[in-house]
């Protein structure tokens, strides 16, 4: 590693400067500006198009976005680019793919032969197995672009294939081949396979279209190499070469990753790039070394972020344990998802699909802290005042709470109550319950209701997909029931208890006591409640559920009056 190499752990580095900020993106912006960059300042991310571009891949997009937005707020012109490493060869068949609507499909559900016949070919030279885009690489890139668009992030998607074919990489590739001995010296520290015959350029075979790693002659001044199409190791398998011997220009191949990454920094003029911790001890040290000691460039400001899990398990495209941005935005508002990504990148987190209500509740509190509606520590208040305007569409970054127009603030219905409202099919009944519970104002306008009920639809979708305790439909009319005297007496006793104003947990305990006092089997009494409210023999935890409903409705239903 170069003696001048900088740590990629920018948020943990001690550079002797007091950089206390409520928002981590301000700290990074300071470090970027310390270098006096030219405008536009370039913020970059990137991905290789393999598998399914899931929510975890948006880490790089969103971390870069917040730094870009802070720089824009400070008056700088910023270009946020995101490279698709689509010149890479397909090394193995993915087990799952996603169509442009974000639906996961098995390989057998599409034209798998389009992939199987093209192992070793660049992603952009492989037909789209869905038949809707120009190539497999283009299909993947469209999904990345769709996710960024859905979150309101203005990325400029850059194809590596285009950079090679348009000649943007030609000068840096020629330089590397003109200084091939120096390139080998730098790379030997990081790769055992680098020997005196190693050539850091992978031509594309003109005969079979595969990427090959065997260069037999370099003519850098002429901008071409000779090659032989040989076998390529890809994990535990070997992709056979065709044996063709030919000549390729510098636009008809690609640099290996450890050179391609710093070449991107040079060609695109990158000032800042976040990346996952897998690169921190591997690609970053070699990239830093290549940039400084081969290409003669200062690498961009780096920032390592921690990965996050999905419901406690790592994302896995092959196992189908993924979720796409569009899927998540069916369940919660974009500002809530932005809030998740605005958290400290140094801390590993879980994205809890099964407990999504907790994340939404956390955001709602954060919003209330910004507007000064709840008690909060000084640190919590400072962070909310700084970060919240970056999350929402109705405020500009830097807007102080005193300057935020109250009428523009969205009406938020608590997520679990929104899920409860979703159990009622009738719109007017939903409005009535929301007003009586104080989550909507008296006589709300249609616009207020429509905006607030966007969360109801999302919470209903969440309940359905998770098949959780809110995935039931409440009977709006009293069902035709026939209970014995003991059960009716117990229901009346429970109605009296609810009418006293108790919370859900207390109601749950009272259900047991009421059944016992009236000599009823507890299962039978719960069953009576489920029949009254759902017309079914089972349902959610009854006490907690009743505690979330409008009290008068519960009391009348328990008394079989409405």
């Amino acid at each position: 590693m170069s003696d001048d190499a900088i740590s990629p752990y920018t948020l943990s580095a001690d550079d002797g400067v007091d950089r206390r900020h409520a928002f981590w993106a301000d700290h990074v912006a300071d470090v970027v500006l310390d270098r006096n960059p030219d405008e536009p300042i370039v913020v970059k991310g990137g991905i290789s198009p393999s598998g399914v571009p899931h929510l975890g891949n948006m880490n790089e997009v969103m971390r870069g976005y917040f730094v870009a937005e802070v720089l824009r707020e400070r008056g700088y012109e910023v270009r946020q680019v995101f490279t698709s490493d689509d010149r890479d060869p397909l090394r193995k068949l993915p087990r799952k793919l996603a169509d442009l609507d974000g639906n996961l499909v098995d390989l057998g559900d599409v034209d798998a032969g389009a992939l199987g016949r093209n192992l070793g070919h660049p992603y952009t030279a492989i037909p789209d197995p869905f038949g809707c885009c120009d190539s497999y690489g283009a299909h993947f890139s469209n999904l990345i672009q769709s996710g960024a668009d859905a979150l309101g992030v203005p990325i400029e998607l850059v194809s590596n294939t285009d950079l090679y074919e348009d000649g943007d990489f030609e000068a840096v590739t020629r330089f590397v081949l003109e200084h091939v001995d120096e390139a080998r010296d730098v790379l030997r520290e990081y790769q055992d396979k680098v020997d005196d015959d190693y050539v850091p350029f992978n031509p594309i075979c003109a005969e079979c279209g595969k990427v090959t790693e065997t260069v037999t002659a370099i003519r850098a001044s002429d901008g071409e190499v000779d090659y032989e199409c040989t076998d390529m190791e890809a994990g535990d398998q070997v992709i056979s070469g065709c044996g063709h011997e030919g000549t390729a220009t510098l636009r008809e191949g690609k640099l290996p990753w450890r050179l391609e990454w710093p070449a991107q920094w040079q060609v695109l003029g990158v000032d800042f790039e976040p990346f996952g911790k897998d690169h921190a001890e591997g690609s970053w040290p070699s990239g830093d070394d290549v940039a400084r000691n081969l290409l003669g460039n200062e690498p961009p400001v780096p920032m390592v972020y921690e990965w996050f899990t999905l419901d406690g398990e790592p994302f896995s495209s092959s196992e189908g344990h993924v979720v796409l941005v569009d899927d998540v935005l069916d369940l919660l508002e974009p500002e809530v998802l932005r809030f998740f990504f605005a958290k400290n990148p140094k801390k590993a987190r879980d994205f809890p699909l099964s407990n999504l209500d907790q994340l939404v509740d956390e955001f709602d509190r954060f919003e209330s802290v910004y507007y000064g509606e709840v008690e909060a520590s000084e640190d919590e208040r400072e962070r909310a005042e700084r970060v919240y305007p970056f999350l929402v569409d109705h405020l500009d970054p830097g807007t102080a709470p005193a300057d935020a127009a109250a009428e523009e603030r969205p009406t938020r219905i608590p997520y679990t109550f929104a899920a409860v409202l979703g159990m009622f099919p009738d719109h007017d009944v939903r409005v009535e319950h929301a007003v009586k519970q104080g989550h909507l104002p008296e006589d709300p306008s249609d616009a207020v209701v429509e905006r607030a009920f966007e969360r109801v639809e999302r919470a209903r979708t969440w309940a359905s997909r998770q098949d959780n305790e809110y995935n039931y439909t409440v009977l709006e009319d009293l069902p035709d029931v026939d209970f014995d005297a003991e059960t009716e007496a117990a229901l009346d006793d429970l109605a009296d208890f609810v009418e006293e104003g108790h919370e859900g947990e207390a109601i749950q305990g009272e259900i047991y006591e009421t059944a016992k006092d009236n000599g009823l089997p507890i299962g039978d009494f719960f069953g009576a409640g489920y029949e009254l409210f759902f017309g079914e023999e089972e349902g959610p935890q009854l006490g907690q559920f009743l505690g979330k409903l409008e009290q008068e409705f519960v009391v009348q239903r328990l008394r079989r009056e409405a």
Side-chain angles (χ1 to χ4, degrees), residues 268-511:
L268 298 172
V270 180
D271 297 295
F272 166 66
E273 180 160 7
F275 46 83
K277 62 181 182 180
D278 54 330
H279 288 309
E281 307 304 328
S283 303
W284 169 257
S286 65
D288 181 290
D289 206 348
V290 166
R292 293 180 187 278
N293 299 311
L294 177 63
L295 303 181
N297 301 322
E298 183 177 34
V301 172
M303 187 193 80
V304 175
Y305 57 77
E306 277 283 351
W307 296 321
F308 61 91
T309 53
L310 179 65
D311 279 331
E313 298 292 335
F315 282 83
S316 173
S317 296
S318 62
E319 299 298 328
H321 188 64
V322 295
V323 64
L324 278 68
V325 172
D326 288 342
D327 291 330
V328 174
L329 294 181
D330 288 340
L331 311 179
L332 46 73
E333 299 96 328
E335 52 265 40
V336 181
L337 189 51
R338 294 184 199 121
F339 168 71
F340 178 81
F341 282 111
K343 294 183 178 186
N344 190 340
K346 295 192 298 181
K347 184 176 180 181
R349 302 182 188 279
D350 183 55
F351 190 80
L353 273 181
S354 55
N355 296 309
L356 208 57
D357 54 305
Q358 296 176 9
L359 175 63
V360 181
D361 288 348
E362 189 180 355
F363 168 80
D364 287 354
R365 172 178 166 75
F366 192 73
E367 184 173 61
S368 295
V369 170
Y370 174 83
Y371 283 101
E373 297 172 345
V374 295
E375 294 280 339
S377 68
E378 185 67 17
D379 285 348
E380 194 177 9
R381 183 187 60 77
E382 287 183 4
R383 181 170 178 269
E385 291 182 0
R386 178 58 181 151
V387 177
Y388 177 76
F390 286 94
L391 309 180
V392 296
D393 296 330
H394 65 281
L395 296 177
D396 292 326
T399 302
D403 298 325
E407 65 272 11
E408 294 181 357
R409 181 187 173 184
T411 299
R412 308 282 187 193
I413 296 175
Y415 196 75
T416 52
F417 185 72
V420 169
L421 290 182
M423 300 165 81
F424 290 89
D426 186 82
H427 175 80
D428 292 340
V429 172
R430 291 177 178 181
V431 173
E432 180 183 354
H433 278 271
V435 169
K436 287 184 176 180
Q437 291 289 73
H439 297 306
L440 285 178
E442 292 287 342
D443 194 24
S445 68
D446 291 342
V448 167
V449 172
E450 180 180 1
R451 179 67 187 274
F453 275 20
E454 289 177 5
R455 180 172 283 186
V456 174
E457 296 307 318
R458 288 183 165 105
R460 182 62 179 162
T461 301
W462 170 67
S464 175
R465 290 185 184 173
Q466 294 294 307
D467 194 21
N468 58 25
E469 65 267 32
Y470 301 100
N471 192 25
Y472 293 89
T473 299
V474 176
L475 298 175
E476 294 175 353
D477 297 317
L478 180 67
D480 184 13
V481 292
D482 183 17
F483 298 129
D484 58 34
E486 292 80 4
T487 301
E488 290 185 343
L491 290 170
D492 290 341
D493 290 345
L494 184 60
D496 294 341
F497 185 83
V498 171
E499 196 171 32
E500 292 172 3
H502 296 283
E503 300 291 331
E505 187 173 346
I507 296 173
Q508 182 74 5
E510 184 64 19
I511 293 173

Side-chain angles (χ1 to χ4, degrees), residues 49-67:
S50 59
V52 176
H54 51 69
L55 183 68
N57 300 133
M58 295 303 292
N59 236 332
E60 214 149 310
V61 172
M62 295 306 299
R63 303 304 187 184
Y65 167 72
F66 286 120
V67 174

